[in-house]
Amino acid sequence: MSSFQRIACIVFFLYCHQPMAQTTWQNPIQKQERLGSPLVETSPFVFKEKLYLLENYQRFWDIPGAKPGDHFQEDEVRIRDLATNEIVSVPLKNHAFGTVLTWEDRVYVFAGYYGEGKPWRKITEIVVTSSADLNEWTKPETILRANPEEYFFNTAVCRGKNDFILLYETNDPRWTPFTFRYLRSNDLKNWRDIPNAVYGKGKYVGGPALYYEKGWYYTLYLKSLKPGYETHISRSQDLIHWEDAPEDRPFVTFDPGHKNIPLIDPSIAESNASDVELCYFKGQTVLYFTGSDQTTAGDLQWATFPGTPEELFVHFFDEAGTIDAEPPKPQGNWLPVLLAPKKPAKGIDSSSENLQVLPTPQQLGYQERQLGAFIHFGLATYAEADMMIVPEAVRFNPAQLNAEQWVKTAQSFGAKHIVLTAKHHNGFCLWPTKTTDYSVKNSPWKGGSGDVVAEFVNACRKYGMKVGLYLSGGDTHFGCTSSPDPQGERVIRGDVHRYFPVFLEQLRELLTGYGEISYLWFDGAYDPFGWDVTNPVTGIPLGTSYGDAIQAMVRHLQPKAVIMGGTKPDVRWSGSEQGWAPYPLDNVVKPGEGLAKWVGPQNAGYIPAEANLHTRSTWFWRANSDHTLKDSSYLMKAYLESIGRGANLLVNMTPDDSGRIPEAEVKLLEKFGTSILSTFANPLAVTSSKMHPTSEITLSLTQRTAVDLLELEEVLEKGQHIRQYTLEAWLDGHWQPVASGETIGRKRIQYFAPVTTDRLRLRVSGDSPNLALERFAVYGPDF
């Protein structure tokens, strides 16, 4: 089977939402190998793009003749780098049943504390410690103490919808040992009981793990088969009412053919598959569990699933046998691989009933970054002509290419992510793709062995920059684009059906070969997969099936990525390549507004806007073009008219034919960054109503002083609700309005005529009784 045929199969699986015939249910988890280790409780996790394993190591395993529990106060909770197989740190000693959570660039380890002078496994305290680098760990803090006659065993922690959830395994005498209880917290230290949130009251459960995916909490638990043990899965939306997967669908079960288990009689067969934990890493779910027989030690093993945890979990609850008599029929000339579902996608619903008005975590993270950098670099850099022409690959030779300089330049003006044109409209690929010879592998640069995308990604990771990639749908080298006509009037140029598998394989290479990608940028220009393109002969619209399949692949391989453009965008264009966004600006596109807001009419819901701008007269560098560079005041104006209106801003950078950003451009962007910092470095006063939403906030200054700049930020986790605001200053013994506006959203920045006062009042109104501001700040003219 060719790579393109494999891609077609993937798209068929992802895009055709019709239930398929099932004769017998099959477990999709693929066991890999036994690791020859006695470890039992382990937790794989990803931190700073690397895969680690938290291990609960029992000291007696190292001592000949020792029994379980001997030397237990020397037991360790430790962390192993799975790339090097080395122990990188030991967060806790004299602890057991450790588990791990990564959150906001920190690693948190939870474990049971043995205490001093207590018997083995009589644990009555759960503690937490954390680290930002896996080397220095905070002093352990006790977060939970047992009730009288109660002991703790395994723990698990996950991030839920709006807070954190802790599962702990207890021998509480009210229920069948062992039982799971659930607590919640906002800060990972102070935990509150959830009434009636208990799992396993009337049956044996143990070895838990806990995950949250798209509204569901999933608990993995150990089922006793008498004889033997295997792991099963249950789910709940409220942690109180639980739905077990069918009995005949074990999550992981044992293999009686496994013998020669560490530390026990080599003739004993495996009868256990317990303590399963998992994480998502580089396009697949990685699982660790233990075999053995539930006596002396474990038999550590690992497995994989080619998808996200959410896709894996859902598989165990899918209904079997519900099939259509016939598959849906293709429309027009679509290939069978792109059969459209019978039910319309949610985004096509023309009503407001199911409108998504809250950001996804990915959209929220994107909006929080606000400012990004664009890098236009490729063969067009060398052609000094229209980006649609196809120069020879041998012209590409950036002898001094320095991706770290690109990243440092972006950091100088405050960018939090960078988008690189991995392939622009001419079709030249900046990575050694297998789909075409029109790439860096046929250039003289590094003898054809270079990879610009790899160097870019590595530089971003080195300096903590989020990675974005631009992949043009149009490809003039292949001979497939669309006309550049306005929305709704474009036609296909070339054979889109023959080109589509090529494009999809290029996308797959980028999504699977370079680690986590945070941002995918699909240009609406010359896009043959757009919602509005038509057959040039018949004039019949081709629909959204190709574009929807592209989006499905991104969701499958990079579920954390935000998508700009395409038929199902997470982010929309503001309508400007000069760095401005319209005002007022609403993050929610209402049904029927799509065309006016630069998305297809099938789209509605929460879709924030992004403006972009080029610092030169052209997107790609041209010789002797430094004189066309805009000045820092222009960039600052664009900042105020994009970010200052609630949009994101993407500022272009142009490496020259040597592979470096020219010095004049570097200095311009540094000056731009300095202007931003100096403007917002010293607020006169700052407050927030996040914890206590209100329609009126007063801000007191330390003394009477001049004020002329307002900065507001809405609490977007709860959606965008403020529709009007008025800023008033206390002048001459009464409140006088000095500024007003409509939407706030992610950020609103507004200059007004300077006033001298010692207090200000902000009044807001909107479509919700809970109008919350993340930030309300004012600045003076002397910054």
Side-chain angles (χ1 to χ4, degrees):
M1 180 183 291
S2 71
S3 60
F4 296 157
Q5 289 172 321
R6 288 197 298 272
I7 289 299
C9 292
I10 291 173
V11 174
F12 181 83
F13 171 77
L14 290 171
Y15 186 70
C16 291
H17 300 296
Q18 300 293 335
M20 304 302 292
Q22 296 184 19
T23 54
T24 59
W25 183 86
Q26 293 185 343
N27 192 320
I29 295 173
Q30 302 165 6
K31 290 185 179 181
Q32 299 299 324
E33 60 179 324
R34 301 164 66 190
L35 300 172
S37 167
L39 286 166
V40 180
E41 293 97 3
T42 62
S43 305
F45 67 98
V46 177
F47 184 58
K48 295 183 178 179
E49 312 294 339
K50 296 182 67 176
L51 183 63
Y52 295 92
L53 188 69
L54 180 138
E55 303 176 349
N56 290 274
Y57 199 81
Q58 299 182 41
R59 178 73 172 103
F60 85 91
W61 290 332
D62 294 330
I63 302 173
K67 304 182 298 299
D70 290 352
H71 311 280
F72 72 90
Q73 290 189 319
E74 299 175 40
D75 289 356
E76 297 178 342
V77 179
R78 62 193 196 182
I79 293 176
R80 183 183 300 274
D81 183 336
L82 288 172
T84 63
N85 202 34
E86 296 179 350
I87 301 298
V88 296
S89 65
V90 179
L92 296 167
K93 290 188 178 182
N94 194 26
H95 289 70
F97 298 114
T99 191
V100 66
L101 171 75
T102 57
W103 179 252
E104 292 186 342
D105 299 321
R106 290 192 73 85
V107 174
Y108 295 82
V109 171
F110 299 80
Y113 174 46
Y114 278 134
E116 300 298 332
K118 294 182 179 180
W120 184 54
R121 293 282 163 100
K122 303 296 184 181
I123 294 173
T124 58
E125 294 180 38
I126 296 175
V127 304
V128 63
T129 180
S130 70
S131 173
D133 59 8
L134 300 183
N135 293 313
E136 299 293 328
W137 292 87
T138 60
K139 182 179 179 180
E141 296 183 60
T142 298
I143 60 169
L144 189 64
R145 299 183 189 275
N147 296 317
E149 300 182 4
E150 179 187 28
Y151 296 113
F152 295 140
F153 298 90
N154 285 285
T155 58
V157 184
C158 77
R159 175 68 180 180
K161 182 178 181 180
N162 297 309
D163 51 16
F164 302 96
I165 305 297
L166 167 69
L167 176 162
Y168 67 92
E169 184 182 1
T170 173
N171 70 337
D172 192 310
R174 291 177 292 173
W175 304 305
T176 302
F178 297 91
T179 309
F180 302 158
R181 301 204 65 182
Y182 301 83
L183 307 176
R184 65 173 11 113
S185 170
N186 293 320
D187 60 8
L188 294 170
K189 294 182 180 179
N190 298 289
W191 294 87
R192 310 182 302 278
D193 185 47
I194 305 173
N196 302 314
V198 181
Y199 180 77
K201 292 180 182 179
K203 63 182 179 182
Y204 174 90
V205 295
L210 178 67
Y211 304 95
Y212 178 81
E213 298 286 345
K214 294 186 178 178
W216 289 93
Y217 293 94
Y218 294 90
T219 288
L220 303 181
Y221 67 93
L222 196 60
K223 179 180 177 62
S224 175
L225 302 181
K226 299 180 181 180
Y229 301 86
E230 64 185 10
T231 296
H232 283 244
I233 185 170
S234 187
R235 69 180 180 180
S236 171
Q237 291 183 305
D238 60 7
L239 297 167
I240 298 171
H241 304 92
W242 290 89
E243 174 193 0
D244 292 348
E247 288 284 322
D248 61 350
R249 297 184 184 182
F251 196 75
V252 178
T253 193
F254 53 85
D255 182 352
H258 286 176
K259 296 184 179 181
N260 297 308
I261 296 167
L263 302 180
I264 66 174
D265 186 330
S267 66
I268 295 176
E270 179 178 282
S271 58
N272 172 71
S274 69
D275 298 277
V276 182
E277 294 203 38
L278 55 88
C279 69
Y280 184 75
F281 183 64
K282 291 189 176 180
Q284 65 179 356
T285 299
V286 179
L287 307 91
Y288 277 76
F289 66 98
T290 196
S292 192
D293 66 346
Q294 282 278 10
T295 58
T296 306
D299 182 20
L300 189 63
Q301 302 174 46
W302 73 291
T304 58
F305 166 73
T308 66
E310 192 268 340
E311 291 166 336
L312 172 60
F313 297 152
V314 167
H315 188 84
F316 288 82
F317 296 89
D318 282 345
E319 293 295 329
T322 56
I323 61 172
D324 290 331
E326 295 180 0
K329 295 180 180 180
Q331 301 176 8
N333 293 324
W334 290 125
L335 302 177
V337 72
L338 291 170
L339 298 176
K342 290 181 179 178
K343 295 181 180 180
K346 291 182 180 179
I348 302 176
D349 188 354
S350 60
S351 71
S352 299
E353 182 178 352
N354 298 315
L355 196 67
Q356 178 193 337
V357 296
L358 297 179
T360 65
Q362 293 85 356
Q363 287 174 314
L364 189 60
Y366 161 82
Q367 286 189 277
E368 288 173 351
R369 295 197 292 271
Q370 292 189 304
L371 187 56
F374 218 168
I375 296 180
H376 276 68
F377 183 61
L379 259 180
T381 304
Y382 298 80
E384 296 194 21
D386 186 276
M387 60 185 70
M388 301 294 289
I389 70 166
V390 184
E392 293 183 0
V394 293
R395 297 184 63 178
F396 186 80
N397 191 17
Q400 300 177 37
L401 189 143
N402 188 335
E404 291 192 17
Q405 186 234 15
W406 303 351
V407 176
K408 290 177 182 178
T409 302
Q411 286 182 324
S412 75
F413 67 88
K416 298 298 189 294
H417 55 238
I418 308 178
V419 179
L420 171 68
T421 54
K423 184 187 83 167
H424 210 273
H425 300 328
N426 61 25
F428 183 77
C429 296
L430 293 181
W431 77 102
T433 176
K434 295 180 180 178
T435 63
T436 177
D437 290 334
Y438 198 53
S439 78
V440 289
K441 67 185 179 184
N442 276 338
S443 76
W445 179 58
K446 293 193 173 183
S449 62
D451 186 337
V452 178
V453 174
E455 295 199 19
F456 164 71
V457 168
N458 291 339
C460 286
R461 301 251 159 80
K462 180 176 179 178
Y463 293 99
M465 184 72 70
K466 295 290 186 181
V467 174
L469 294 177
Y470 168 114
L471 186 66
S472 172
D475 188 323
T476 51
H477 177 263
F478 188 93
C480 185
T481 64
S482 76
S483 65
D485 301 318
Q487 292 186 100
E489 302 176 18
R490 295 190 297 164
V491 296
I492 289 290
R493 293 174 174 172
D495 189 341
V496 68
H497 308 307
R498 188 170 65 90
Y499 168 55
F500 179 68
V502 177
F503 175 86
L504 207 62
E505 175 64 6
Q506 290 174 351
L507 179 61
R508 188 199 66 80
E509 289 176 347
L510 292 174
L511 296 179
T512 59
Y514 299 95
E516 183 174 306
I517 307 300
S518 297
Y519 197 18
L520 267 297
W521 220 94
F522 296 122
D523 201 331
Y526 303 101
D527 178 16
F529 312 126
W531 64 268
D532 60 331
V533 292
T534 59
N535 184 301
V537 177
T538 65
I540 298 174
L542 296 182
T544 65
S545 290
Y546 276 155
D548 292 353
I550 291 167
Q551 188 258 10
M553 172 171 276
V554 177
R555 288 284 179 262
H556 179 62
L557 297 178
Q558 292 282 352
K560 295 182 180 180
V562 171
I563 300 172
M564 165 68 186
T567 56
K568 293 182 177 181
D570 298 314
V571 177
R572 59 189 173 90
W573 187 42
S574 74
S576 165
E577 292 187 346
Q578 303 302 319
W580 57 261
Y583 187 80
L585 183 67
D586 199 326
N587 289 318
V588 175
V589 176
K590 298 180 179 62
E593 290 184 340
L595 283 177
K597 294 189 175 180
W598 297 98
V599 294
Q602 76 277 11
N603 287 290
Y606 196 97
I607 314 175
E610 177 185 74
N612 52 22
L613 67 85
H614 40 86
T615 52
R616 298 174 184 268
S617 59
T618 53
W619 283 106
F620 286 88
W621 175 85
R622 290 189 181 183
N624 304 313
S625 64
D626 282 1
H627 71 280
T628 70
L629 285 168
K630 298 172 173 66
D631 60 29
S632 62
S633 63
Y634 181 99
L635 299 183
M636 196 65 195
K637 182 174 183 289
Y639 183 94
L640 296 174
E641 293 182 352
S642 55
I643 289 175
R645 293 176 175 176
N648 274 42
L649 177 62
L650 201 60
V651 179
N652 192 48
M653 306 190 301
T654 56
D656 61 19
D657 52 6
S658 75
R660 294 179 60 89
I661 300 172
E663 189 64 22
E665 188 172 341
V666 171
K667 290 181 177 179
L668 165 64
L669 294 171
E670 288 175 348
K671 188 174 181 180
F672 173 43
T674 300
S675 296
I676 297 171
L677 289 175
S678 62
T679 302
F680 300 102
N682 299 302
L684 296 173
V686 181
T687 191
S688 169
S689 63
K690 183 174 183 179
M691 303 307 296
H692 304 285
T694 179
S695 61
E696 185 176 300
I697 316 170
T698 300
L699 191 60
S700 297
L701 310 182
T702 57
Q703 60 184 9
R704 284 178 55 80
T705 187
V707 183
D708 74 340
L709 178 59
L710 171 67
E711 181 186 30
L712 302 173
E713 296 179 11
E714 199 166 345
V715 178
L716 287 183
E717 293 95 330
K718 300 178 181 180
Q720 184 179 359
H721 296 292
I722 296 173
R723 303 300 170 197
Q724 294 282 341
Y725 69 86
T726 300
L727 180 69
E728 299 170 322
W730 185 255
L731 301 170
D732 300 325
H734 61 278
W735 292 108
Q736 295 186 27
V738 295
S740 63
E742 297 179 64
T743 55
I744 293 175
R746 174 61 185 90
K747 180 169 284 189
R748 174 66 174 137
I749 303 170
Q750 184 178 9
Y751 277 98
F752 53 90
V755 295
T756 300
T757 185
D758 62 356
R759 74 194 90 159
L760 297 113
R761 182 171 70 179
L762 185 74
R763 308 176 80 175
V764 298
S765 61
D767 57 14
S768 168
N770 297 316
L771 301 176
L773 285 174
E774 186 82 41
R775 181 179 175 89
F776 167 24
V778 293
Y779 302 81
D782 297 323
F783 40 75

